[in-house]
Amino acid sequence: MKIAFLADPLSHFKIYKDSTYAMMTEAARRGHQVYAFEQQDVVLESGLVTANAALVTLTGDPDDWFRRGTYSEMYLSEFDAIVVRKDPPFDMEYIYTTYLLELAEKQGARVFNKPSAIRDHNEKLAIAQFSQYTAPTLVTRDAKRLRAFHTEHKDVILKPLDGMGGAGIFRVGEDGMNLGSIIETLTDNGRCTIMVQKFIPQITEGDKRILLIGGRVVPFVLARIPQGNEVRGNLAAGGLGVAQPITAANLKMAEALAPVLNDRGLLLVGLDAIGDYMTEINVTSPTCFQEIKQQAGFDVAEMFITAVEAAVK
């Protein structure tokens, strides 16, 4: 098969932990041709969607890990599968890209995750569709409502709707220290909608990444445990990643959501959970493949490429 990865620049990959690299390695191991292109390489002309893509050869050398062939203009329908691995920010450029990919689908391209499904599942807001699994949550730009939520729940987490890696996340305790300033900053004085949730004390046990692939649940999670006085477990914020078997409660939740999300065109999903509560549904470029394999021995990339192969048959 020809598998193309729409990703960030390959030169930026940290291959010791990058999940897209693990996907590429597994695809190449199976004899598939691996191509790569970036967001700006996608073009619509005369009604047809193309990408300036290049064949990628993996060298096995961690210091010089790829060789890129000559770029050429290719119809997206020429690939057997296109794997979307562009990291946020999920801005208007990202949305424009999903529109182009959706048009390419109509021309025969097979895109994973489905562009319309990526667009329709904001990684913060999508949890509202499954409120039985969430902690008390409020989404608003209204300062009075945000203050009232804090008064009711006393210990809360406030965060933007378009962040990643723990950026812009604040905890406000019962004393309300800096609540007004945080609300003003995150909402841009009432111009931006944000999310506030009741603080979940089990964050000390880790912010768990639960991976769903092809409607099935990966049996291990990566618990990202905050370090020191940090409230965020995100690896990008210095959290310690510990692979562990999925808990019974998390498995029950994940097994309920996996087929629903897969049917919506989300082949790969990363649920985030603290304790028994789901906090995010990651659909753009879920990670933690390599940490789970390195620590638990479960090959997530193998499961993913198998799911891609099955999806394009």
Side-chain angles (χ1 to χ4, degrees), residues 249-261:
N250 287 165
L251 179 61
K252 182 178 180 180
M253 174 183 68
E255 287 181 334
L257 269 60
V260 174
L261 296 172

Side-chain angles (χ1 to χ4, degrees), residues 37 62 134 139 148 150 258 260 270:
F37 61 94
T134 66
V139 176
H150 172 262
V260 174

Side-chain angles (χ1 to χ4, degrees), residues 200-264:
I200 306 169
Q202 289 86 352
I203 184 61
T204 56
E205 301 167 11
D207 180 356
K208 293 171 286 186
R209 168 59 52 85
I210 304 167
L211 292 167
L212 315 179
I213 298 176
R216 297 171 53 214
V217 183
V218 172
F220 293 90
V221 306
L222 191 75
R224 297 158 298 175
I225 302 171
Q227 300 298 290
N229 294 324
E230 181 60 70
V231 71
R232 300 169 298 172
N234 310 73
L235 299 182
L240 174 66
V242 178
Q244 54 191 226
I246 191 169
T247 66
N250 287 165
L251 179 61
K252 182 178 180 180
M253 174 183 68
E255 287 181 334
L257 269 60
V260 174
L261 296 172
N262 186 61
D263 287 347
R264 295 180 183 181

Side-chain angles (χ1 to χ4, degrees), residues 22-90:
M23 295 174 182
M24 289 179 167
T25 301
E26 178 61 20
R29 186 188 70 80
R30 298 186 185 202
H32 300 312
Q33 291 182 303
V34 174
Y35 288 79
F37 61 94
E38 297 175 31
Q39 220 172 357
Q40 66 268 23
D41 296 320
V42 183
V43 175
L44 168 65
E45 186 173 9
S46 302
L48 296 173
V49 183
T50 64
N52 196 30
L55 182 66
V56 176
T57 302
L58 279 65
T59 67
D61 180 352
D63 297 319
D64 187 21
W65 68 271
F66 71 94
R67 294 282 182 271
R68 186 160 35 207
T70 303
Y71 280 101
S72 60
E73 200 79 7
M74 302 179 68
Y75 296 111
L76 295 192
S77 56
E78 292 183 55
F79 299 110
D80 296 287
I82 297 168
V83 180
V84 180
R85 294 292 299 172
K86 175 70 184 71
D87 284 342
F90 195 83

